Amino acid sequence: MGTLPQVSKSQARISTHSTPQSAKKPYPRFRMEDLPDGTQQRFREDLGPLWLEFVSTLENPWDLTNHVDVMQELWNITFTDIDYTVQKTNDPVYSLLLQRAYRYRCDFAKRGETAVAAYLDSIGLNNPDEIARYINFLVPSVSGIRGDEEPAKCYPFMWQEATNIMNEEGHVERTETRGAFRSRPISDTLALYLEIRECIPPALRQSDRPRGALVLATVSVERALRMYSTGTYVKHKDRFESTFSRKHWGVTTDEVMISVKKTTSRGWKKIIKAAIPYIKTRKPHHGMPAALEEEREEVNGYTRCVDVDSGSDSGSDVIF
C-alpha cells in the first residue's frame, strides 16, 4: 500500500463501545445502518473511495479477504476521532468494504459494456457480418484466419493501433502495434478508476500504480467485445455464466497482469493521459507465479502487451 499520513495519537478519540450500534448478526448481511452511529456519511464519501483506490493497485483484485490491516489503517485515517477495530468475523465495516469492492468490479463490467457499445457505434460498421469480422480481429481465436493451433500472439483490442501483416498464403504473419493499453474502450473503462481517485484529497492518494484497475478494465472490455462475436449483442442467458468473476476471468486477469507489470512510468503516464478525457462521460452505476509468466510470455498476446518504446520514462507531461 502507498504511504499515507499517520493518525495523530494525541487526538481525542471516541470508542465505539460507548456508542450505540446494531447488535451483531448470527448470519451477517450488513447494511449501512449497522455501522457505528454517525459514521455512515464519511464511510460512503471518504472511506469507500480510499478503499477502492487501494483495491485498484492490487495485482489480484479478486481476493480481498486478507487486507483487514489496510481496512484498519484507512478507518484510522478517515475516523481520527472514533476508535474501532476492524475484524474479519461478523463485522459490518469489513463486510461492507468487501461489498463495495464487489460492486466496483461489477461497475467495471458495466462500464466495459458501455464503452464497447459506444466504440462500435462510433466506427460506423454497417451490418452484423462486418461487426463479427472486426470483433474476430480485435479478439482473435483459433480460426481459419490464423491457419494454426497456437494461441493468439496479439490481442489488438489491447492496443491503440494494431495492423495485421499477412503472408503470401493469406495468414497473419505478424501484427504491428502501438499504444499498449490505450485502445479507446480500455481508456473509457479505466476512467472509472480515475473518477474514484478524483474523490480523494491529493495528500491521501495512493502512490502505487493502479495495476488492478487496468487489468479489470482490460478484461471487462474483452468480455464485452465477445458479446458481439456474432455481429449482434448477445449476453449469456445464464446470469451466473455471464458474471464478471474470478472463476470466469481469473486466468485472463493473471495473464494480462504480466504485461501490466512491465509497463514503465512513461507507459503509465500515457495510459492515464488517454483515459482522462473519458472521466464522467458515462452515467454512474450505483499474484502471478514466476513459472507461469515464463511459460506463457513468448506465445500469449495477453502477456506481451508492452510498447517497444517503454524503456524510456521521459516524454509525458502527465504527473501520476
Side-chain angles (χ1 to χ4, degrees):
M1 179 177 177
T3 303
L4 292 170
Q6 297 296 312
V7 179
S8 172
K9 296 182 179 180
S10 61
Q11 185 171 352
R13 296 170 69 87
I14 301 172
S15 172
T16 57
H17 294 297
S18 61
T19 304
Q21 67 181 94
S22 300
K24 298 292 186 180
K25 300 181 179 183
Y27 301 101
R29 173 65 178 176
F30 291 105
R31 304 171 64 88
M32 291 294 287
E33 55 263 32
D34 295 312
L35 293 169
D37 286 349
T39 65
Q40 285 81 0
Q41 183 173 352
R42 278 187 285 172
F43 183 97
R44 183 182 301 107
E45 298 178 0
D46 300 327
L47 180 57
L50 286 172
W51 166 244
L52 295 182
E53 194 198 21
F54 167 74
V55 171
S56 299
T57 68
L58 297 175
E59 292 185 12
N60 181 2
W62 300 108
D63 185 3
L64 307 175
T65 57
N66 294 320
H67 296 293
V68 65
D69 55 333
V70 175
M71 295 179 181
Q72 183 68 62
E73 181 180 356
L74 296 178
W75 174 277
N76 293 343
I77 290 169
T78 304
F79 299 98
T80 57
D81 55 337
I82 300 177
D83 277 320
Y84 188 94
T85 301
V86 182
Q87 304 176 67
K88 295 180 70 172
T89 304
N90 201 25
D91 181 69
V93 173
Y94 178 81
S95 177
L96 288 169
L97 287 176
L98 289 185
Q99 289 178 35
R100 284 298 176 94
Y102 170 78
R103 290 205 301 271
Y104 185 48
R105 293 192 297 263
C106 290
D107 285 344
F108 266 107
K110 295 173 184 176
R111 182 67 171 249
E113 292 182 35
T114 301
V116 165
Y119 174 67
L120 293 178
D121 184 61
S122 72
I123 59 179
L125 298 179
N126 296 319
N127 57 64
D129 288 340
E130 290 183 358
I131 294 174
R133 285 194 296 270
Y134 189 57
I135 295 299
N136 188 62
F137 164 69
L138 293 177
V139 192
S141 57
V142 176
S143 65
I145 193 172
R146 294 196 162 271
D148 56 40
E149 295 299 323
E150 294 183 3
K153 294 183 179 179
C154 176
Y155 290 89
F157 84 94
M158 298 172 67
W159 298 85
Q160 184 178 26
E161 296 179 8
T163 304
N164 279 343
I165 306 300
M166 313 299 286
N167 60 23
E168 294 180 354
E169 287 75 33
H171 297 146
V172 177
E173 183 176 288
R174 68 184 186 280
T175 305
E176 295 183 350
T177 57
R178 185 181 73 86
F181 297 109
R182 302 210 306 274
S183 70
R184 284 160 56 188
I186 290 178
S187 296
D188 190 338
T189 306
L190 184 62
L192 175 65
Y193 154 75
L194 295 178
E195 292 165 6
I196 295 294
R197 186 175 170 87
E198 277 195 341
C199 300
I200 302 171
L204 296 181
R205 291 174 182 171
Q206 292 282 332
S207 59
D208 295 338
R209 306 297 185 191
R211 293 176 172 178
L214 182 56
V215 166
L216 290 174
T218 302
V219 297
S220 67
V221 166
E222 177 177 349
R223 171 181 174 271
L225 285 168
R226 290 189 181 277
M227 293 177 180
Y228 290 87
S229 61
T230 63
T232 56
Y233 176 83
V234 178
K235 193 168 185 176
H236 204 291
K237 294 181 179 180
D238 188 326
R239 181 180 176 184
F240 177 77
E241 290 300 324
S242 68
T243 300
F244 186 55
S245 65
R246 183 177 185 176
K247 175 182 178 180
H248 297 105
W249 292 97
V251 173
T252 304
T253 299
D254 290 343
E255 292 177 334
V256 172
M257 183 58 74
I258 294 174
S259 290
V260 170
K261 287 164 64 176
K262 298 174 186 176
T263 303
T264 64
S265 295
R266 184 186 186 194
W268 274 110
K269 290 174 183 178
K270 290 181 177 181
I271 290 167
I272 298 300
K273 185 176 182 178
I276 288 174
Y278 295 96
I279 294 175
K280 297 180 180 177
T281 61
R282 307 297 177 199
K283 292 182 180 180
H285 296 280
H286 292 296
M288 171 59 58
L292 178 58
E293 183 168 346
E294 293 173 0
E295 177 185 352
R296 295 179 176 172
E297 180 175 358
E298 295 304 317
V299 297
N300 195 311
Y302 295 123
T303 68
R304 302 178 67 190
C305 185
V306 182
D307 276 320
V308 294
D309 65 346
S310 290
S312 171
D313 289 342
S314 61
S316 176
D317 57 355
V318 177
I319 297 174
F320 179 75

